[in-house]
């Protein structure tokens, strides 16, 4: 089943389409399709916010009793190991920042600049694809929920 995102405003539709392409390429381990998809994702304003919401939702579903340091380490190690064979440029630090950011515990401190949007776009789909493998549910479910959370947050701010 293919999800159409016609009900979304154009910027959100672009994020949904680019994220779907990038995560699909990551799931297929298709380096040729991955690069243009992440470039498109990097150009989409607020894509990192939406993908962070998807990561948080996936983590919450996969760990209903909460996460501890060992859980985060296992997610990080699994993602790096499964990705390194076809994406040798995978950066564990960027994945860790994505995990911490999705959980609301990322504090860059004085000496640590956050990853740029291009690094987020290159790594978030890898993490999402890895976490999706455990759920058996389609990405569209999580994207829809993440967009709803963003809309609720913007409405209350």
């Amino acid at each position: 089943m293919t999800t159409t995102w016609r009900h979304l405003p154009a910027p959100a539709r672009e994020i949904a389409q680019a994220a779907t392409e990038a995560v699909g390429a990551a799931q297929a381990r298709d380096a040729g399709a991955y690069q243009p998809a992440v470039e498109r994702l990097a150009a989409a304003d607020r894509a990192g916010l939406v993908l962070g919401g998807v990561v948080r939702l996936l983590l919450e579903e996969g760990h209903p009793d909460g996460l501890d340091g060992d859980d985060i380490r296992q997610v990080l190690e699994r993602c790096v190991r499964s990705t390194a064979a076809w994406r040798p440029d995978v950066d564990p630090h960027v994945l860790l920042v994505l995990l911490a950011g999705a959980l609301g515990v990322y504090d860059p401190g004085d000496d640590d600049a956050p990853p740029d949007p291009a690094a987020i776009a290159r790594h978030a789909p890898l993490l999402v694809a890895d976490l999706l493998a455990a759920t058996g549910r389609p990405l569209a479910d999580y994207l829809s929920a993440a967009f709803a959370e963003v809309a609720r947050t913007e409405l209350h701010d």
Side-chain angles (χ1 to χ4, degrees):
M1 179 177 114
T2 301
T3 302
T4 64
W5 299 100
R6 290 183 206 147
H7 63 284
L8 295 174
R13 189 176 327 120
E14 177 62 19
I15 293 169
Q17 292 169 341
T20 300
E21 288 175 15
V23 170
Q27 290 170 320
R29 300 185 186 304
D30 183 345
Y34 192 73
Q35 189 58 39
V38 297
E39 288 172 6
R40 182 177 174 195
L41 193 57
D45 188 37
R46 303 187 72 175
L49 178 66
V50 173
L51 288 173
V54 170
V55 169
R56 186 185 56 72
L57 291 165
L58 284 162
L59 289 170
E60 287 175 353
E61 184 173 315
H63 300 86
D65 296 327
L67 289 114
D68 61 21
D70 287 338
D71 295 324
I72 295 298
R73 186 178 60 251
Q74 288 173 355
V75 168
L76 182 63
E77 288 176 356
R78 185 185 65 228
C79 184
V80 170
R81 283 191 179 115
S82 69
T83 302
W86 73 280
R87 293 291 307 181
D89 62 341
V90 64
D91 185 341
H93 177 73
V94 175
L95 292 171
L96 181 60
V97 167
L98 288 168
L99 287 166
L103 296 171
V105 297
Y106 176 65
D107 180 12
D110 294 333
D111 298 329
D112 186 24
D116 63 26
I120 298 292
R122 280 191 312 274
H123 288 77
L126 301 172
L127 185 56
V128 169
D130 183 75
L131 292 167
L132 274 173
T135 69
R137 288 180 48 202
L139 172 62
D141 292 353
Y142 297 98
L143 279 172
S144 294
F147 281 122
E149 283 187 9
V150 170
R152 271 192 304 276
T153 301
E154 289 179 351
L155 185 62
H156 295 299
D157 281 350

